[in-house]
Amino acid sequence: MNPRSFVCCVVVSTMLVLLQSAHARIAPDYIVPCNATTRHCLVKATQDAIPEFVKGLPHLGVPQLDPFVIDKLAIPLSGLKVTFHEGKVSGFKKCIVDDVVSELEKRHFVLQFHCNLTIKGQYEAVGKILLFPINGEGDAKIKLTNLRMKVDINTKYYKDSNGANHFGLKNYKYTFDYGDKVTFDLKNLFKESQELSNTVLVFLNENWKTVAEEFGKPIVDYAVDLAVKTIEKFFVAVPYEELINVPIPTF
Ligand SMILES: *[C@@H]1O[C@H](CO)[C@@H](O)[C@H](O)[C@H]1NC(C)=O
Ligand SMILES: *[C@@H]1O[C@H](CO)[C@@H](O)[C@H](O)[C@H]1NC(C)=O
């Protein structure tokens, strides 16, 4: 090969590499776009993606969801001050997807699923819970069995600075129920008495539903907000066309 054709060859192959990378898929391989917004395809695609997606995509700025960390969360209640810190929530990777609805024209997306989650961390609680005075601090472990959730998202479409289309999130709301059982394992509910701590813990578990309803919402709000923000980061990074193989509605 003479030097001129060598240079030419290098230039052409560099251009090919550049062109390819300009069109390279950003979405990881486990994202399989549906060819239609059928419930069957959307549920399967979502279910298949979850175990990998929850590991995060650091190069795209998408954080890990399983486990995810709660650095510090103050739970404001009347008569009881609870702080939860150094928390870890795990179990999202095994969530079961019950339904996915994607109405592209209406810019509406619904995700319904249920999961078993474990929340571990440190707690501090001072005040009263179900008439019991509490002054505790220590290890906390909360298990949720078949927590059911439905997240309802209004979406939008936009073009980024490179002209690529994206899904965006306008707003969302959600409903949930605590499912079959919530188990509390809270050490040292009374700093003064181990015996009283155990008695109250048994009582809290017997009344798990009331207890969960009394102080669970801030934790669930926190988790849902984090999950939605994570999906939003993914939408910012990955173009619309890599997520669904249906022409984007006019916008
Ligand atoms: C969508 O269609 C393409 C091309 O026919 C096919 O390879 C792909 O498997 C289809 N995707 C799904 C999720 O069925
Ligand atoms: C949660 O755990 C229960 C009991 O251990 C089990 O029956 C159920 O299938 C689990 N649910 C999920 C979503 O994994």
Side-chain angles (χ1 to χ4, degrees):
M1 203 186 279
N2 72 42
R4 254 185 82 179
S5 60
F6 174 75
V7 168
C8 169
C9 224
V10 169
V11 169
V12 168
S13 52
T14 308
M15 280 175 67
L16 279 175
V17 167
L18 285 175
L19 272 174
Q20 266 176 4
S21 61
H23 290 273
R25 236 172 89 92
I26 296 165
D29 290 344
Y30 59 79
I31 301 293
V32 181
C34 286
N35 294 321
T37 53
T38 57
R39 183 162 279 159
H40 175 80
C41 184
L42 293 170
V43 168
K44 185 177 186 308
T46 308
Q47 185 70 70
D48 291 348
I50 283 177
E52 293 300 320
F53 183 75
V54 296
K55 292 178 186 169
L57 294 158
H59 64 292
L60 299 180
V62 178
Q64 178 175 302
L65 278 177
D66 192 2
F68 80 77
V69 172
I70 301 179
D71 289 328
K72 191 170 174 142
L73 183 63
I75 304 176
L77 297 168
S78 63
L80 180 69
K81 197 169 162 268
V82 180
T83 330
F84 187 69
H85 51 106
E86 292 156 67
K88 245 187 189 179
V89 181
S90 55
F92 278 114
K93 64 172 168 289
K94 288 190 178 156
C95 288
I96 293 175
V97 178
D98 298 308
D99 199 9
V100 182
V101 177
S102 178
E103 298 176 296
L104 296 173
E105 285 285 349
K106 286 188 185 161
R107 291 144 168 81
H108 183 221
F109 182 83
V110 180
L111 175 60
Q112 218 173 315
F113 57 92
H114 66 282
C115 322
N116 291 340
L117 299 178
T118 304
I119 307 168
K120 275 188 196 170
Q122 302 292 315
Y123 83 97
E124 271 158 50
V126 182
K128 271 187 183 169
I129 188 162
L130 307 177
L131 300 175
F132 281 97
I134 283 187
N135 173 21
E137 163 172 18
D139 293 339
K141 184 171 161 188
I142 303 165
K143 276 187 162 182
L144 298 108
T145 307
N146 290 326
L147 168 80
R148 293 184 179 275
M149 194 166 286
K150 181 177 173 185
V151 187
D152 196 306
I153 301 173
N154 288 315
T155 60
K156 60 185 178 189
Y157 305 110
Y158 68 92
K159 264 189 207 301
D160 67 20
S161 54
N162 299 320
N165 296 324
H166 289 268
F167 273 111
L169 301 187
K170 222 168 122 191
N171 51 47
Y172 74 90
K173 57 181 195 275
Y174 76 93
T175 52
F176 72 102
D177 76 70
Y178 288 105
D180 300 341
K181 181 129 189 71
V182 180
T183 317
F184 303 98
D185 185 4
L186 305 167
K187 301 289 186 222
N188 293 319
L189 281 166
F190 293 88
K191 287 176 192 161
E192 297 80 21
S193 160
Q194 186 61 46
E195 204 182 322
L196 203 51
S197 293
N198 294 344
T199 308
V200 173
L201 187 59
V202 168
F203 180 81
L204 293 184
N205 278 298
E206 279 167 0
N207 295 279
W208 63 268
K209 204 158 204 167
T210 316
V211 176
E213 273 158 12
E214 191 128 331
F215 82 94
K217 185 124 191 318
I219 297 183
V220 179
D221 282 346
Y222 186 99
V224 173
D225 195 55
L226 190 97
V228 171
K229 285 202 174 109
T230 302
I231 294 171
E232 193 168 22
K233 283 178 182 151
F234 182 69
F235 284 171
V236 166
V238 179
Y240 172 94
E241 286 77 13
E242 294 187 26
L243 297 173
I244 189 143
N245 200 7
V246 176
I248 194 165
T250 49
F251 66 99

